[in-house]
Amino acid sequence: MISLPHLRTFMAVARLMSFTRAAYELSLSQPAVSAHVAALEEALGVRLFERTGRRIVLTDAGRIVYRAAQDISDRMRQLESELEDLGELRSGVIRIGASRIAGVYLLPRIITSFRERFPDIEIHVTNHTAHTIARLVEDNAFDLAVVCEGDAEQYPTAAVGMKRIGTDDLVLVAPNGRTVSSLKVFRPGDVLSPEEVQSESFILSGPDTASARNLRRQLANLGLHLKSTIVMDDAGAIKRTVEEGAGLAILSRSAVERELAEGRLVEVTVPGWSLSRGIFMLWRNDRRFSRNTEVFMEFLKNRLSEKGNGAADIPVPN
């Protein structure tokens, strides 16, 4: 008998062409992923992958099964959406994909407010890198997704719709009352010239992340090149390292609101700087939205507008 979880695992392996990456994406162990694929092969009586050293490729049967699995997954999502509509916002599930900054810092407050109004609607949030989220949207894994680690052109695909719904402001932060490489003691309200900024040491995110590429483009437009002494991929780790006095950092305002309010970090102003990036909503172009999802999309847009992010005139996609 064919198992839907086994089909989902097979689809992830086929899309990523890696049992290891599929295990990470699905939050499963690699042996569990291998077992799911083996069970599906046994149920269907065919080999789905050819394994050559470290590489895997789909067999002819595997390609047929992959197309069928996509159709089955799409139909199940449509069925769930239609059944959710029957609940008239009294029940149902909304599946949201979120890039890491959006999922950890931007969405929690918005989702909490939404749940206060609609307590019987379950919300499932999955956090990944922005590019992984875009791929999962294409695979119809979510009702919608929110990313804010880069610009729209970084996630192009014909199957995925995209709309900018707000702006994520970036701020330059320093440790409060501590020195960094220049031996300057940073205090609230400090102002640095562009030349002074370039003399400081910075903690930056990894060079291949969407966040880093977006920031490099903006700094290049300002004619600036920052001196990086530490590279980290996690915003929480970057914040803590700045607090310890290891350097300055440029982070999403939503990610440092608490630290700024508590005085653990200070915002540093640079004349002429205005760094930001778009907040984008992604969805599968051929997907039919449930009523629950439509209401959440409108709620999200309005909350971002209330924060002054310029989303008030952006329509929810049809």
Side-chain angles (χ1 to χ4, degrees), residues 180-200:
V180 188
S181 55
S182 66
L183 301 182
K184 171 182 172 57
V185 179
F186 286 93
R187 303 292 184 189
D190 275 351
V191 178
L192 293 181
S193 68
E195 293 74 22
E196 288 174 318
V197 168
Q198 292 192 104
S199 70
E200 295 287 351

Side-chain angles (χ1 to χ4, degrees), residues 82-95:
E82 291 171 356
L83 291 176
E84 286 172 10
D85 282 349
L86 296 177
E88 296 181 351
L89 299 179
R90 289 193 293 269
S91 63
V93 178
I94 304 173
R95 296 173 178 82

